[in-house]
Amino acid sequence: MATSATAKSNRGAVIAAAIVFLVAMVIRLPSCYESFWVDELHSAWCVWDALADVAPRARLGNQSPIYFGGLWFWKQAFGCGEVALRMSSVLMTSIAAAVMTWGVNRWTGSRIGGVAAGLVMALESNAIFFGTEIRPYAVVILSASIATICFVKLLESDSPYAWNILAISVLVALATQPTSFGVLVWLPALVGLKRLREEGFKLRLSLSNLLLITALVAVGWALWTTTLGSSWRSRGNWATFAMAPEFRDAVAIWDWTWLLVIPLVIALFCPGKRPAMVCVALIAVSATFAFWIASRLDVVHLWHRRYLVSTLPMFALLVGGAVGKCRIANRGWLAAPAFVAIVLLLGLTWSQGVLQTLCTRPHLLAYRGEDWRSAVGWVQSQKGEKDTISLDPGLIESRILSQWRTIEPAPTIDDLRYLRYPVSGPYRLENVRLIPPIGMRVSRRESIGGYGVRVGHARSSWIIARTSGETASQFAVNEKQENLFLRFGSTKSEVRSFGGVSVIRFQMDVPKAEVQKAINEFLRARNGVGQ
């Protein structure tokens, strides 16, 4: 009878996990049809050509090549479209939701608690955003989900099987996205400390532990030599997007009320699981604000959700643990957990705007707003054979285009090839020239080619810039005033905005030879020649 009950319980847990998996998939799919945005275009560029190109291109973007190698094989098997590539991340984060469902169910003995934890992973806005883009963070979320479940199991009972899975999961996350180590390292560290205390602080290394330590050192060394070393030397670039704000603004990084505060308050009245929940909460909070302190003190700028996504499964576990172990008087064992789960999930999704968006515009749940596909498509459909095309990629590394004479070491051919990646992958344009960020006021002498618009025999020139339509329009006005070719060529300009990407088109009505003649006369008159 006991065996039959256990088998029935396991089947129920698997069915619940499968349902949550499908919910997570359905929630994410509408967001997969949008154009790739600039970060995803780096991933696409890494895997767009030969396998031998993957690692060098990943390193140029300060990324570990492990994830991109796997994405290259995924592309060969399933295709190169937006939906096909993004499905890799959709599947991994949907599996993460299923893992949390099954794991919390087993941990608390509550199917409703497991479903609540899984639905947090399925519906939380950051889990949706990072679960629908082709970046390494989906792998981190899945690895962190597995590690978190193993962690709470090991806090209650020793299991070599769970310990090995925990360690391997942390290693996978480290190899995929090294910054996740700052969060996940505390899981095996605390379990190891617990073991040491139970054994009277006598250090005993088993063969499996020795292998895991060796693997950790090997992965760390490989990452440092291939990626982290160069990333650390250029860490000043991260300040442009990962600068820590004031504390009152920093607390807005997570929805603490529904993911932490209420679950912990409920835990105070739970009959069990309280120590594990408090421990997980402390790790999530401490890691989050350790990153804030490191950024605030200018040690290294890491204040961004992408570097902290490994805390999401911890918050999901807190919600699931609170639901699974809550008891409300006169509500019954089933009604109370169900009521608390509904309140927490509705509160979370309403607070983050997920519920409202899901009911009205589900395709905007993970909206990036950079329509590179349409921008490049318009240029391809309208440009002449001899038109010139310039690119302002809007990357943090773009400063080398305006400061290349003073930067040490000097930019290489690979650096410039990297800056062209937005139009070197799925949305391809040939013979593209780089220009400094058009939002900056720099003189032409300080830039590689400057802002000066080059007009070919077709009298047409294009600029694709990762900037707003307003900035692009102002640049077009300024350029027509400062660029003599455009001023004397009776140039018409057209600006089209594609979300966060803008295209500027200059067309000259006067033949180029006549423009050059007019410019020469203007310069002679300005310089007093012939007077």
Side-chain angles (χ1 to χ4, degrees):
M1 291 295 291
T3 303
S4 176
T6 302
K8 184 178 180 180
S9 176
N10 288 338
R11 282 197 301 271
V14 171
I15 292 171
I19 292 172
V20 170
F21 170 84
L22 291 175
V23 170
M25 289 275 292
V26 171
I27 290 292
R28 285 157 174 72
L29 278 175
S31 300
C32 292
Y33 295 87
E34 185 189 6
S35 165
F36 291 132
W37 73 299
V38 74
D39 279 18
E40 289 181 294
L41 285 172
H42 174 253
S43 300
W45 176 62
C46 286
V47 303
W48 206 251
D49 297 309
L51 180 59
D53 296 321
V54 172
R57 292 179 179 183
R59 284 195 294 269
L60 285 171
N62 295 316
Q63 296 289 331
S64 165
I66 300 296
Y67 165 78
F68 299 96
L71 186 62
W72 186 90
F73 285 104
W74 177 276
K75 172 177 170 284
Q76 308 310 308
F78 299 105
C80 58
E82 289 88 354
V83 176
L85 288 177
R86 283 176 173 146
M87 278 301 296
S88 60
S89 293
V90 169
L91 281 171
M92 280 185 282
T93 51
S94 297
I95 293 172
V99 166
M100 293 305 299
T101 303
W102 183 85
V104 173
N105 186 349
R106 295 292 299 271
W107 177 55
T108 63
S110 168
R111 194 161 302 152
I112 297 176
V115 170
L119 287 178
V120 169
M121 296 300 295
L123 299 173
E124 202 274 338
S125 60
N126 297 287
I128 293 173
F129 185 91
F130 293 110
T132 53
E133 67 172 7
I134 50 169
R135 298 297 280 170
Y137 311 113
V139 180
V140 173
I141 290 172
L142 176 56
S143 299
S145 298
I146 297 171
T148 301
I149 294 299
C150 291
F151 173 72
V152 293
K153 178 178 176 57
L154 287 165
L155 286 183
E156 296 181 349
S157 61
D158 193 23
S159 168
Y161 182 68
W163 167 254
N164 290 335
I165 294 177
L166 168 63
I168 292 170
S169 300
V170 173
L171 283 174
V172 169
L174 168 64
T176 304
Q177 182 61 37
T179 53
S180 64
F181 194 64
V183 177
L184 296 180
V185 65
W186 298 106
L187 303 182
L190 289 176
V191 172
L193 185 62
K194 172 180 173 288
R195 284 183 168 184
L196 278 176
R197 188 184 65 178
E198 291 173 348
E199 295 176 4
F201 293 94
K202 295 178 181 179
L203 186 62
R204 297 175 183 176
L205 283 179
S206 65
L207 178 59
S208 62
N209 287 341
L210 189 60
L211 290 174
L212 289 172
I213 293 172
T214 303
L216 175 63
V217 173
V219 169
W221 177 82
L223 286 172
W224 182 262
T225 56
T226 59
T227 303
L228 286 181
S230 60
S231 297
W232 182 257
R233 289 188 291 271
S234 61
R235 64 190 181 279
N237 289 337
W238 305 348
T240 58
F241 71 96
M243 180 76 75
E246 295 291 338
F247 183 79
R248 63 178 177 271
D249 299 318
V251 295
I253 191 168
W254 302 127
D255 202 322
W256 300 104
T257 301
W258 301 101
L259 293 174
L260 180 80
V261 177
I262 295 178
L264 284 183
V265 169
I266 294 173
L268 293 176
F269 303 97
C270 289
K273 309 299 183 186
R274 190 181 306 156
M277 291 179 64
V278 171
C279 188
V280 169
L282 285 174
I283 292 173
V285 174
S286 300
T288 297
F289 288 102
F291 277 41
W292 179 78
I293 292 170
S295 302
R296 196 69 183 168
L297 297 178
D298 291 330
V299 177
V300 59
H301 295 287
L302 293 173
W303 187 249
H304 199 285
R305 285 180 175 88
R306 68 181 67 178
Y307 302 133
L308 289 163
V309 293
S310 49
T311 60
L312 290 178
M314 299 180 188
F315 292 127
L317 182 130
L318 292 178
V319 173
V323 170
K325 284 300 177 180
C326 70
R327 292 293 184 270
I328 301 178
N330 302 322
R331 288 286 183 177
W333 70 272
L334 178 62
F339 173 78
V340 173
I342 291 170
V343 170
L344 287 175
L345 290 171
L346 285 178
L348 175 65
T349 53
W350 182 268
S351 174
Q352 295 186 332
V354 172
L355 190 61
Q356 301 92 312
T357 305
L358 186 62
C359 294
T360 56
R361 297 172 294 174
H363 63 286
L364 298 182
L365 280 172
Y367 182 65
R368 279 89 184 173
E370 293 184 14
D371 195 355
W372 287 89
R373 179 176 58 201
S374 296
V376 171
W378 184 54
V379 174
Q380 289 173 332
S381 66
Q382 299 294 321
K383 72 180 182 70
E385 183 179 350
K386 296 182 180 179
D387 287 5
T388 60
I389 304 174
S390 301
L391 173 69
D392 164 18
L395 303 173
I396 59 175
E397 297 89 353
S398 295
R399 68 190 183 94
I400 68 174
L401 299 174
S402 57
Q403 302 172 6
W404 67 285
R405 294 181 185 277
T406 58
I407 287 181
E408 295 292 341
T412 65
I413 295 298
D414 283 339
D415 292 329
L416 300 182
R417 186 180 297 117
Y418 166 76
L419 291 176
R420 290 189 180 91
Y421 79 69
V423 293
S424 300
Y427 316 136
R428 189 179 293 266
L429 289 169
E430 302 295 339
N431 302 318
V432 173
R433 164 178 170 262
L434 292 167
I435 60 171
I438 67 173
M440 296 173 58
R441 292 183 174 275
V442 291
S443 69
R444 296 186 184 95
R445 291 184 179 181
E446 293 174 340
S447 62
I448 301 176
Y451 292 110
V453 176
R454 295 182 178 180
V455 181
H457 296 297
R459 305 184 208 161
S460 221
S461 180
W462 303 78
I463 294 178
I464 304 176
R466 187 181 177 225
T467 191
S468 67
E470 182 181 358
T471 300
S473 297
Q474 186 60 53
F475 172 81
V477 171
N478 294 344
E479 189 70 9
K480 284 197 291 183
Q481 294 173 350
E482 299 173 4
N483 187 303
L484 296 181
F485 261 102
L486 300 183
R487 188 195 304 181
F488 288 98
S490 299
T491 304
K492 298 177 182 177
S493 64
E494 180 181 5
V495 177
R496 288 199 183 185
S497 178
F498 300 87
V501 182
S502 297
V503 178
I504 308 169
R505 182 183 188 179
F506 294 104
Q507 284 184 297
M508 287 174 49
D509 289 339
V510 179
K512 192 173 181 181
E514 294 182 20
V515 175
Q516 187 65 62
K517 181 179 178 181
I519 291 174
N520 292 339
E521 292 176 356
F522 168 78
L523 293 175
R524 282 196 297 269
R526 188 178 67 176
N527 296 328
V529 177
Q531 294 183 358

